[in-house]
Amino acid sequence: GCPNPAVMEAWPCSTLEIYDEPPAGALESGGDHERELLERYLQSGLGESDACSAQQAELPPEVAEELSLEVARMQAEQIDADDDAAAMEDDDDAVGGEAAGWWLRFQQRVERSPQQVVRYSWGGQPLWTTTPPSDLAGGPPVCKRCGAARRFELQLLPTLALHLAASSGREQ
């Protein structure tokens, strides 16, 4: 017989909001452009001759101290970022580094739009979380039924399960 609809659990209705994924680099810079502008400004000599510089403006000591702490923090962040980039390059050389490289690419791509649950890209490429299976190196196999070439169209992302569980109150 037919199961009792009152007993069956169902996912709540959801809508998909469709938008273009932000381009690469739009969110990934992390202030790099601003740091570069500041460095160019300070190296140009204008920073020293500017009427707003710390020496000429005679900033209150607490403001001057806060400014120097901010400069030190920015320099430390730059050193950390450089160390992280070097560590990521080393990871690719390590055992299992290839899989870590795929995971990193996946994370960086999803980071552009963390709320996305479906990626649509007709004729595009899937976003792999680990090394793709070797039998898919030349693309997906042809359709067994009709022999037609297959094309990538869409990908359900792991975030879909999280969003469905959250919307149904089944978070774990």
Side-chain angles (χ1 to χ4, degrees):
C2 185
N4 183 352
V7 177
M8 289 179 50
E9 291 186 41
W11 296 106
C13 290
S14 298
T15 59
L16 290 179
E17 183 178 326
I18 300 171
Y19 57 89
D20 289 332
E21 185 178 81
L27 303 174
E28 298 170 0
S29 68
D32 292 341
H33 177 70
E34 291 81 1
R35 282 189 204 96
E36 178 187 346
L37 289 175
L38 176 62
E39 287 176 23
R40 285 180 24 204
Y41 172 74
L42 293 174
Q43 290 174 357
S44 71
L46 293 173
E48 296 169 6
S49 64
D50 192 354
C52 294
S53 69
Q55 293 83 12
Q56 293 179 354
E58 298 181 18
L59 296 174
E62 62 274 359
V63 174
E65 182 180 346
E66 187 176 337
L67 181 62
S68 65
L69 289 173
E70 181 67 17
V71 169
R73 183 188 64 76
M74 288 177 61
Q75 290 171 344
E77 282 180 0
Q78 184 61 40
I79 290 169
D80 288 346
D82 293 344
D83 290 346
D84 289 346
M88 282 189 264
E89 290 173 7
D90 292 343
D91 282 348
D92 284 341
D93 297 335
V95 175
E98 185 179 352
W102 285 99
W103 178 248
L104 180 63
R105 283 188 281 279
F106 175 83
Q107 286 180 316
Q108 289 173 338
R109 184 66 181 263
V110 172
E111 189 176 69
R112 294 186 206 171
S113 183
Q115 296 299 316
Q116 67 181 320
V117 295
V118 176
R119 290 185 63 245
Y120 182 85
S121 178
W122 177 256
Q125 294 292 319
L127 188 55
W128 296 98
T129 57
T130 187
T131 308
S134 58
D135 59 336
L136 294 179
V142 296
C143 175
K144 292 179 183 176
R145 191 168 200 197
C146 69
R150 293 183 182 173
R151 292 182 178 228
F152 175 79
E153 183 173 0
L154 68 89
Q155 179 176 12
L156 302 178
L157 297 174
T159 49
L160 177 62
L162 176 69
H163 286 284
L164 287 174
S167 65
S168 69
R170 299 181 198 174
E171 284 187 80
Q172 293 181 7

